[in-house]
Amino acid sequence: MPLVAHLKELRDRLVKSLIVVFVVFLGLYFLAGDLYMILARPLEILLPEGGQLIATGVASPFFVPLKLTIVLAIFISVPYLLHQIWGFIAPALYKHERKVAIPLFISSVLLFYAGVAFVYFVVLPLVFGFFTSVGPEDINLMPDIGNVLDFCLKLFFAFGLAFEIPIATFLMVRAGIVTTEALASKRPYIFVSCFVVGMLVTPPDVVSQSILAVPMWLLFELGLVFSRLIPKKSIEEAAEAE
C-alpha cells in the first residue's frame, strides 16, 4: 500500500476508536456520581467519625466525576483500541511474529486489568487504612474528592504498568536485547530497583512501597520463566523459513 493509503487507514481506525470511547463515555456519564462513590468506597468506610469527603473547588462536584468517567471510558475501550492497533500493524508482521504477538496483546490487557483490580481490592484499603489511622485524634479527616481521584488514578496506572513487567521482560529477551542469564544474574539490583520505583510512585510509607515493589519483583521472575519457555533458536528458525 502507498503511504497515503496507510495514513487513510490510520485515520479511519483513529476515528473508530474515538467514536467507541465517546459512546462508552455517554453510557457512563449518567452514572458518574455513583461511579465516583464506588471508587471512593475503600476510603469512605475507613473515615473516622466526623470525617467525610468534601469538594474544595466550586466546579469540583462536576469536573471530578467527569474526569473519572473519561478515564473509565478509555479503560473499558482498551480491548477495542488494541484490536484497532493490531489490525493496523498485523499485515506488516510475519506469520511467526503474529503467533507471538496475539498472546502478548491479550496478556498485556489482562495484566493491566489485574493491576488495577489489585489496587482497588488490596492496595487502597491498606493505604487508606494506614493514613486514616496515623493522624492526630483531634483532627477531622476530610479528603478532597479531586485529590482522592488523582491519588487513585496514580496508583491505578502505576500498578497497571508494573503488571506489564512480564511482557516487557519477555520482549527484551526475545528481541535479543538481553539474555535470561544476564537478567537472572542481576536479581539483587533489580530487587533494589523495584523498591526505588515503589518509593517514587507510591505514598511515602514502607507499606505502600512494599505493596508495589514485591509484586514487581515477582512479575519480573514470572517474565523470566516465560522467556525460557520458547527457545530463541526456534524463533530464529521460523524467521529464516519464512
Side-chain angles (χ1 to χ4, degrees):
M1 294 174 60
L3 177 61
V4 175
H6 281 297
L7 293 177
K8 183 178 182 298
E9 181 185 1
L10 178 61
R11 181 202 63 187
D12 294 340
R13 293 188 181 278
L14 287 175
V15 170
K16 291 178 182 178
S17 299
L18 291 175
I19 291 175
V20 169
V21 172
F22 182 70
V23 170
V24 176
F25 168 77
L26 290 179
L28 297 175
Y29 177 73
F30 299 101
L31 303 173
D34 295 331
L35 292 173
Y36 182 85
M37 295 312 300
I38 293 175
L39 174 68
R41 184 62 179 168
L43 172 60
E44 189 181 21
I45 61 178
L46 293 171
L47 288 175
E49 185 178 356
Q52 60 179 344
L53 295 173
I54 62 172
T56 57
V58 176
S60 294
F62 171 76
F63 283 111
V64 171
L66 180 67
K67 179 179 178 181
L68 174 61
T69 305
I70 294 174
V71 173
L72 280 177
I74 298 174
F75 178 74
I76 294 174
S77 305
V78 164
Y80 182 80
L81 300 180
L82 289 178
H83 172 71
Q84 291 298 318
I85 295 174
W86 172 251
F88 183 74
I89 67 174
L93 300 178
Y94 289 106
K95 184 177 180 181
H96 72 279
E97 292 175 331
R98 288 197 293 269
K99 289 181 179 179
V100 176
I102 292 176
L104 289 178
F105 265 106
I106 297 174
S107 58
S108 62
V109 175
L110 295 178
L111 285 171
F112 187 85
Y113 285 163
V116 174
F118 182 75
V119 171
Y120 185 78
F121 292 106
V122 178
V123 178
L124 289 183
L126 291 175
V127 173
F128 288 152
F130 172 79
F131 285 123
T132 55
S133 63
V134 297
E137 295 181 359
D138 296 333
I139 296 179
N140 289 331
L141 183 61
M142 295 184 178
D144 176 66
I145 58 174
N147 292 335
V148 172
L149 176 60
D150 293 339
F151 178 81
C152 292
L153 291 181
K154 180 180 178 181
L155 289 181
F156 284 150
F157 284 107
F159 276 81
L161 293 177
F163 271 58
E164 301 293 333
I165 289 177
I167 304 297
T169 304
F170 180 87
L171 290 177
M172 286 193 300
V173 173
R174 292 303 93 192
I177 299 175
V178 68
T179 63
T180 54
E181 293 75 15
L183 287 176
S185 66
K186 294 179 174 58
R187 277 193 178 96
Y189 303 101
I190 294 174
F191 185 77
V192 174
S193 300
C194 291
F195 276 90
V196 172
V197 173
M199 177 184 65
L200 295 175
V201 302
T202 60
D205 64 277
V206 177
V207 176
S208 302
Q209 296 169 12
S210 301
I211 290 174
L212 176 59
V214 173
M216 285 178 64
W217 178 66
L218 294 177
L219 289 167
F220 163 74
E221 295 292 340
L222 183 63
L224 285 182
V225 173
F226 287 155
S227 301
R228 293 190 178 103
L229 293 180
I230 304 178
K232 186 177 180 181
K233 184 178 180 181
S234 64
I235 296 180
E236 293 175 347
E237 290 174 352
E240 291 175 359
E242 284 196 55

